[in-house]
Structure formats: structure tokens, C-alpha cells
């Protein structure tokens, strides 16, 4: 339980605070509209649906204020890099920025549904009141404003008007329809199946957020929810006059009540985040204009493209990622790729696997380049921080990569090699465990060269135990296994050429964690994953399971790459 609290305590605390604020806002505004004296006559027309419409609106404002902040990548990188106010635990929360972004989106979806349903009921009841289908007071309230110098309460101003007409012609109704449609498109295209298979659909529809926020700012300008004015409440006592609606304006005690629309307040919530996001986009545009030069282009097996690029003023840390844009492939699309180069190198490198239209288009253009020619124009935004930046903060690090998910660890392993080469005294890490899980043998080829160099360097320095790595091949047949058995007595592996033999099948994580715990009985172990969510859940459970209750003994802390 103690280890679970260390790994998840701050995350749960932040979620409890966030949920607590949501609940507080909902309840506060629910009772404000359900009990407020200025809304007595409004409640008479609408009943409890008034409070059910306005309380979710307050929660919507709060979450719309938050939803842009997790995608301000440069702001998060700035906070992450500030070690004064951002320790390891807080940096782990910043790595979950997209998870929080999704949570706020789900809350917006829920509150939007409640808000819309309540307002649909409101329109129906307002229309019925206008038609005189309810009591005398409802009819009198609905007819206010039909003569000059009277303010109205019921926004349906004609007996021939329908709720549908109001919903599609008023400012509040029209903007509500627009932002609801935009939000539905954004949230449905964000489903993983669409994001993985049709990334371009997700990317383009997600930029409907511009329409969403523009509509949101103007939504309250319609002032469709109205209340009695303060001056009117002093002269017109609702407790006395509500039963004498036929005599309003005819007796001194009950003048005709005056009403006004509520002040629009959404802009106060979202203006700050919108400004921050605008600054973010301006910075991205500046980076888009900066020149990027190709240093080397390599096409590896398994449709993996390696790009070595240079850019003036570019500085990185291990495990960071960048966004790439190639205008000749797509003017607007930016895609994230982990840097595989080390900070000690004078260039940045990325490895790109062909998995979609954008990557296939880029690889196709580069494959057809004439000998010695520069590639198409490339723009780079970043670098941005990830969980892997903290790998050197642990005494022992366990790195787990799946397929192309090995890329952040390429940067880490290269950096380790440079640090040992330069005898860097600041290197705190004394042991690295590296596991790489792949489906096919070709995927090993581009990375095996790096491991061979590291393997040789460690042996030469008498530190071959510093780096322990295991490669797991999950896609194999019996003929392949038989071939491996025949050549089992060879010094090097038949697939990778490394001294460490390739394992067939999936890792036994209980065995791996048990071995690490036995070898490092008093260490703090950082577990870093770049891979699928299903494996993340497994490793997270193992971190809790194999951490010792005694604070002086081994502890496992889980970290995952998020894009």
C-alpha cells in the first residue's frame, strides 16, 4: 500500500481535488439557481430544469478552462525543466497530461449532455407557457414584454414560435448547436481505433476546437436565462405579488416586475488558457520557419526510416521527442517522434516506421531522391520532455521497449556510452536492465549495431555487468526455432550477432522482476516503458508487487511514455 501511495498517491490526490472542484461548482450553482430570490419567476416557468441547466454550465466553464493546458507542450516542458518547483513526483504527473486532457473531455461530454437535455425541456416548457397551457401566473409572465417599456422573461416572444425555431435562430441556440456538433466530431474521432488507423481524420477534426471555443465565448451573449433585476425585487415582492399577477401595475404594492439576462461569463474562464495556447501556436510557427538540414538518410529493414537532421540552436535531453512536419506530404499535419540521438551528438535523429499515409508518403519521397540530393523541406517543433528524462535519477533503471517503442532507449543507451567514454562523474546510475520485445526479426537489425558497440565498450572498460539486456522475439515458427537450436553453441546470436542470445516468446515478468530484486536488494529501481497500455498495466502491477514494505529495501517506480 505504501508503494502504491508513492506511485499513485499524488495522481489520486490531484484527481480528488479536480473532482471535488467539479462537485463543488455543480452544487453551488445548482442551489444558487434553485434557491435564489431573483429566479423565483424563472423557476416558476422552468421548474428544477433551470438549476439542472445552469449547474452543468459552471462545470463546463471550469473544464473548458483546463482542457487546453495539457496540450500546451512548450508550457509543460518549461514547468518540467524547472527543478525548483517540479520534483520527480510532479514530473510524473506532467507525463500524464494527455490522460488528464481526456478526463476533462469526458467531463465536458457528460455535462454537455445534462445541459442540453435540461435546456430542451426548458424550451418545451417556455413554449407551453407562451401558449397558455399552464396556470395564470405562467401566462402572465410569458406575456411580459409584449407592450413597450416592459422587459420580458420568456424568450419565446410569439405564439407561433416553436422551440426548434428558437434553438436554431437565437445566439444561444445557434452557437449551442455549432459547438455541440464540433465537440461530437472531436470526441468521436479521438477514439483509439480511428486515431490509430485514420490519424489524419483525428488530426483534422480535432482542430474544430477553434470553432468550439469561438462558439463557447459567444454562447452566453444570447442571455437566454433571465432573472429579476435588483431594483425590481425591492419594489415587487414576489412573496406577495406572485398570487396577484392579474393586478400587476394596477396596485402600488405590485408593480410590473423587470427582468434582465445574465451576464456572459464563459470568456472569463477560457480567456487565459486561450491566450497561452495562442502563444504556444505562435512559438510553433516560429519553429516551423526555422531551417532544418538533412545530415543523413537511411532506409533500414522493416520499413524503418532513419533521419539525421541538424537545426541551429537545437538542444535536447535523453528520451525527448519532437514533432515533424513535411509540407510536401501535408501542409498542416505534425507527428511526434522520439529522438534516438544522444545529447552529446551534434545532430538529432529519429527512426520512423511506415504505419500510415503520412509516414508512407515521407518514406516514398525519400526513397526516390537522386543520389546526394537534399530531402524535402522538414520542420521540427521541440524537443519536449517525457518520463525517460528521469532515467539517470535512479540507481537502477529497467527499460522496456516494444517494437519501434525502443526509440527513446536508443537515446539513453547512446548517452550512457558517451558518459562512460568521458568518465562523467555526475552519472548516478550504476545498473541498466534493458528488455526489447519484437514480433519479427527484421526489427532487431537497425538497433543491434548500437548494442554491439555498447557491449564491446562495456567489456573493454571491465563493466560488462553495467548493461544487461534481453531481446524477446514473439513472432517465430518452429523452423526458425529449430535453426536457432542447431546453432545454439555459437558465441553470438544468429539473429542479432550479439553475445546475448535472443529469447523466444513473451517475457516472464515475474521472473524478470524477481531477478532484479535479488540483484539489487536495497536499490530504488525506475521502470520505464514505451509500449502498449496493456503492458503498462502489467508492469505497473509488478512494480507494486515486488516493491518491499521495508523503506530500506528495493522499490520499483513505474514510468510510461505518453504521446
Amino acid at each position: 500500500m505504501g508503494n502504491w501511495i508513492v506511485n499513485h498517491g499524488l495522481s489520486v490526490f490531484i484527481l480528488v481535488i479536480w473532482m471535488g472542484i467539479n462537485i463543488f461548482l455543480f452544487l453551488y450553482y445548482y442551489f444558487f439557481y434553485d434557491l435564489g430570490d431573483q429566479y423565483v419567476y424563472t423557476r416558476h416557468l422552468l421548474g428544477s430544469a433551470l438549476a439542472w441547466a445552469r449547474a452543468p454550465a459552471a462545470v463546463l466553464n471550469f473544464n473548458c478552462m483546463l482542457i487546453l493546458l495539457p496540450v500546451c507542450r512548450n508550457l509543460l516542458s518549461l514547468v518540467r525543466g524547472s527543478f525548483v518547483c517540479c520534483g520527480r513526483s510532479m514530473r510524473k504527473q506532467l507525463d500524464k497530461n494527455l490522460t488528464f486532457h481526456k478526463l476533462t473531455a469526458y467531463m465536458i461530454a457528460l455535462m454537455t449532455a445534462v445541459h442540453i437535455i435540461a435546456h430542451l425541456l426548458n424550451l418545451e416548457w417556455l413554449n407551453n407557457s407562451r401558449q397558455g397551457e399552464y396556470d395564470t401566473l405562467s401566462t402572465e409572465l410569458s406575456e411580459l414584454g409584449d407592450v413597450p417599456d416592459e422587459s420580458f422573461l420568456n424568450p419565446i416572444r410569439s405564439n407561433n414560435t416553436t422551440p426548434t425555431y428558437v434553438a436554431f435562430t437565437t445566439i444561444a441556440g445557434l452557437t449551442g448547436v455549432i459547438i455541440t456538433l464540433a465537440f461530437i466530431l472531436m470526441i468521436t474521432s479521438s477514439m483509439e481505433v480511428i486515431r490509430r488507423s485514420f490519424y489524419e481524420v483525428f488530426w483534422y477534426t480535432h482542430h474544430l476546437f477553434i470553432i468550439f471555443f469561438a462558439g463557447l465565448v459567444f454562447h452566453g451573449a444570447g442571455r437566454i436565462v433571465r432573472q429579476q433585476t435588483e431594483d425590481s425585487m425591492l419594489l415587487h415582492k414576489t412573496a406577495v405579488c406572485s398570487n396577484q399577477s392579474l393586478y400587476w401595475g394596477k396596485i402600488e404594492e405590485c408593480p410590473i416586475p423587470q427582468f434582465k439576462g445574465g451576464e456572459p461569463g464563459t470568456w472569463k474562464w477560457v480567456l487565459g488558457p486561450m491566450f497561452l495556447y495562442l502563444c504556444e501556436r505562435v512559438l510553433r510557427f516560429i519553429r516551423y520557419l526555422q531551417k532544418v538540414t538533412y545530415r543523413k538518410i537511411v532506409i533500414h529493414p522493416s520499413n524503418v526510416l532513419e533521419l539525421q537532421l541538424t537545426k541551429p540552436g537545437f538542444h535536447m535531453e535523453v528520451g525527448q521527442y519532437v514533432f515533424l512536419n513535411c509540407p510536401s506530404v501535408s501542409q498542416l499535419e505534425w507527428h511526434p517522434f522520439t529522438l534516438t540521438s544522444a545529447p552529446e551528438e551534434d545532430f538529432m535523429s529519429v527512426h520512423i516506421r511506415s504505419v500510415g499515409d503520412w509516414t508512407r508518403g515521407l518514406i516514398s519521397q525519400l526513397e526516390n531522391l537522386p543520389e546526394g540530393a537534399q530531402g524535402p523541406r522538414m520542420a521540427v517543433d521541440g524537443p519536449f520532455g517525457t518520463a525517460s528524462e528521469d532515467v539517470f535519477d535512479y540507481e537502477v533503471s529497467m527499460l522496456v521497449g516494444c517494437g519501434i517503442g525502443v526509440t527513446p532507449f536508443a537515446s539513453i543507451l547512446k548517452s550512457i556510452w558517451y558518459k562512460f567514454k568521458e568518465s562523467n562523474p555526475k552519472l548516478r546510475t550504476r545498473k541498466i536492465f534493458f528488455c526489447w520485445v519484437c514480433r519479427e526479426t527484421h526489427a532487431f537489425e537497425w538497433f543491434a549495431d548500437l548494442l554491439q558497440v555498447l557491449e564491446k565498450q562495456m567489456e573493454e572498460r571491465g563493466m560488462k555487468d553495467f548493461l544487461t539486456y534481453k531481446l524477446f522475439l514473439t513472432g517465430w515458427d518452429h523452423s526458425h526455432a529449430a535453426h536457432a537450436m542447431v546453432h545454439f553453441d555459437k558465441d553470438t546470436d544468429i539473429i542479432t550477432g550479439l553475445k546475448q542470445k535472443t529469447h523466444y516468446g513473451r517475457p516472464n515478468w515475474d521472473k524478470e522482476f524477481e531477478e532484479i530484486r535479488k540483484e539489487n536488494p536495497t536499490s530504488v529501481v525506475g521502470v520505464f516503458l514505451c509500449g502498449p497500455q496493456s503492458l503498462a498495466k502489467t508492469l505497473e502491477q509488478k512494480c507494486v508487487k515486488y516493491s518491499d514494505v521495508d523503506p530500506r529495501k528495493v522499490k520499483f517506480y513505474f514510468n510510461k511514455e505518453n504521446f
Side-chain angles (χ1 to χ4, degrees):
M1 177 60 72
N3 184 257
W4 183 91
I5 291 173
V6 170
N7 274 285
H8 305 287
L10 185 56
S11 298
V12 174
F13 177 74
I14 291 173
L15 288 179
V16 168
I17 294 296
W18 171 71
M19 185 58 73
I21 294 174
N22 281 303
I23 293 172
F24 169 77
L25 288 172
F26 189 95
L27 293 177
Y28 176 83
Y29 281 96
Y30 182 90
F31 289 115
F32 178 79
Y33 285 95
D34 198 52
L35 302 175
D37 292 339
Q38 65 270 47
Y39 294 104
V40 169
Y41 287 137
T42 313
R43 286 196 300 272
H44 186 83
L45 294 181
L46 305 177
S48 60
L50 170 66
W52 279 102
R54 298 307 303 157
V59 180
L60 281 170
N61 287 338
F62 173 63
N63 285 277
C64 287
M65 176 188 71
L66 295 178
I67 199 166
L68 283 178
L69 298 179
V71 291
C72 290
R73 299 191 293 263
N74 289 285
L75 175 63
L76 295 181
S77 290
L78 180 65
V79 175
R80 185 186 182 85
S82 176
F83 291 95
V84 175
C85 62
C86 192
R88 182 195 297 171
S89 297
M90 182 56 69
R91 291 199 301 275
K92 286 182 69 174
Q93 308 314 310
L94 296 178
D95 294 332
K96 300 175 182 178
N97 60 318
L98 294 183
T99 300
F100 187 70
H101 179 72
K102 293 174 186 177
L103 279 176
T104 55
Y106 296 148
M107 181 62 75
I108 289 173
L110 176 61
M111 292 298 104
T112 297
V114 176
H115 183 72
I116 289 173
I117 292 171
H119 267 316
L120 288 176
L121 293 174
N122 287 338
L123 285 176
E124 187 64 29
W125 290 330
L126 287 171
N127 183 64
N128 291 343
S129 296
R130 185 67 189 182
Q131 303 299 328
E133 296 182 11
Y134 298 140
D135 58 10
T136 302
L137 178 57
S138 297
T139 303
E140 292 296 324
L141 288 171
S142 298
E143 290 178 350
L144 289 175
D146 287 350
V147 298
D149 299 326
E150 279 186 356
S151 62
F152 67 90
L153 175 62
N154 191 333
I156 298 180
R157 304 308 310 138
S158 170
N159 290 332
N160 298 322
T161 304
T162 63
T164 304
Y165 178 82
V166 173
F168 284 93
T169 58
T170 60
I171 293 176
L174 185 59
T175 55
V177 170
I178 291 172
I179 60 180
T180 301
L181 290 176
F183 185 72
I184 290 172
L185 288 172
M186 284 191 292
I187 203 166
T188 52
S189 66
S190 299
M191 297 171 60
E192 188 171 357
V193 63
I194 295 178
R195 206 170 64 247
R196 297 288 183 187
S197 303
F198 307 98
Y199 182 84
E200 292 79 8
V201 174
F202 156 74
W203 197 94
Y204 284 114
T205 54
H206 226 60
H207 279 70
L208 290 172
F209 81 90
I210 299 171
I211 296 175
F212 176 84
F213 274 93
L216 199 64
V217 170
F218 288 102
H219 183 59
R223 307 189 183 206
I224 198 168
V225 175
R226 300 177 68 79
Q227 64 191 54
Q228 194 173 355
T229 64
E230 295 178 4
D231 293 340
S232 176
M233 290 173 63
L234 294 174
L235 301 174
H236 182 101
K237 306 295 184 182
T238 54
V240 177
C241 302
S242 59
N243 296 323
Q244 304 183 54
S245 57
L246 294 176
Y247 301 101
W248 287 352
K250 299 177 181 177
I251 57 177
E252 185 178 353
E253 296 81 4
C254 295
I256 296 174
Q258 300 296 312
F259 298 93
K260 65 176 182 179
E263 291 288 334
T266 301
W267 66 273
K268 299 176 184 177
W269 292 83
V270 301
L271 187 63
M274 287 172 66
F275 175 76
L276 288 175
Y277 190 77
L278 179 61
C279 294
E280 172 88 9
R281 296 310 288 252
V282 169
L283 181 56
R284 292 185 195 179
F285 181 71
I286 293 172
R287 287 177 173 171
Y288 171 80
L289 298 177
Q290 292 174 336
K291 184 179 180 180
V292 176
T293 306
Y294 289 84
R295 186 177 183 271
K296 192 176 182 181
I297 300 171
V298 183
I299 305 293
H300 291 285
S302 303
N303 287 324
V304 174
L305 166 69
E306 178 184 356
L307 291 180
Q308 294 184 9
L309 308 169
T310 59
K311 180 181 178 181
F314 186 87
H315 302 285
M316 61 166 287
E317 298 294 335
V318 293
Q320 292 187 325
Y321 69 97
V322 294
F323 275 78
L324 298 183
N325 170 270
C326 183
S328 61
V329 178
S330 174
Q331 286 281 351
L332 299 177
E333 292 182 41
W334 291 79
H335 293 264
F337 296 98
T338 304
L339 291 165
T340 53
S341 52
E344 293 82 359
E345 294 174 318
D346 60 353
F347 62 89
M348 71 180 100
S349 68
V350 294
H351 284 71
I352 302 171
R353 184 161 58 98
S354 178
V355 292
D357 294 340
W358 191 88
T359 53
R360 280 194 292 266
L362 177 62
I363 292 175
S364 175
Q365 287 193 22
L366 295 175
E367 282 178 330
N368 298 322
L369 280 177
E371 188 69 26
Q374 272 282 313
R377 183 179 182 277
M378 187 72 67
V380 177
D381 184 23
F384 303 107
T386 65
S388 296
E389 281 187 66
D390 299 332
V391 68
F392 296 134
D393 290 343
Y394 295 91
E395 300 171 0
V396 180
S397 293
M398 179 181 180
L399 315 179
V400 181
C402 294
I404 200 68
V406 75
T407 49
F409 307 135
S411 174
I412 292 168
L413 295 177
K414 282 183 182 179
S415 186
I416 288 172
W417 177 59
Y418 281 108
K419 283 177 169 59
F420 272 112
K421 188 176 178 180
E422 299 168 2
S423 300
N424 191 326
K426 295 182 179 180
L427 183 62
R428 179 184 177 187
T429 306
R430 56 181 179 80
K431 184 73 175 177
I432 295 276
F433 294 90
F434 173 54
C435 295
W436 189 14
V437 184
C438 276
R439 291 182 181 178
E440 52 187 21
T441 58
H442 294 301
F444 288 125
E445 297 178 9
W446 72 270
F447 197 67
D449 292 340
L450 172 61
L451 291 176
Q452 286 179 358
V453 172
L454 289 171
E455 194 174 60
K456 182 180 178 181
Q457 290 288 330
M458 296 303 169
E459 285 185 359
E460 289 177 353
R461 291 177 175 271
M463 302 185 67
K464 61 181 181 180
D465 293 332
F466 175 82
L467 174 64
T468 300
Y469 61 89
K470 293 183 179 179
L471 310 182
F472 295 88
L473 182 63
T474 59
W476 53 278
D477 54 31
H478 293 290
S479 62
H480 191 97
H483 182 63
M485 290 177 65
V486 170
H487 298 279
F488 182 76
D489 56 345
K490 286 191 173 183
D491 293 335
T492 57
D493 186 66
I494 61 171
I495 298 174
T496 62
L498 298 165
K499 292 184 178 181
Q500 172 67 52
K501 300 299 178 69
T502 299
H503 299 263
Y504 294 88
R506 298 183 182 279
N508 183 336
W509 293 115
D510 287 297
K511 179 182 176 182
E512 301 301 327
F513 274 82
E514 187 63 45
E515 287 181 1
I516 294 174
R517 184 168 71 169
K518 285 182 179 178
E519 293 180 18
N520 306 274
T522 60
S523 297
V524 176
V525 183
V527 180
F528 296 85
L529 168 69
C530 188
Q533 188 60 37
S534 56
L535 181 55
K537 292 181 180 178
T538 301
L539 294 181
E540 209 166 4
Q541 292 169 357
K542 302 306 179 188
C543 285
V544 175
K545 178 180 178 181
Y546 287 96
S547 292
D548 204 288
V549 176
D550 189 339
R552 296 169 296 179
K553 295 186 177 180
V554 66
K555 291 285 183 294
F556 291 90
Y557 295 119
F558 181 72
N559 303 269
K560 184 183 182 302
E561 299 292 317
N562 294 286
F563 298 103

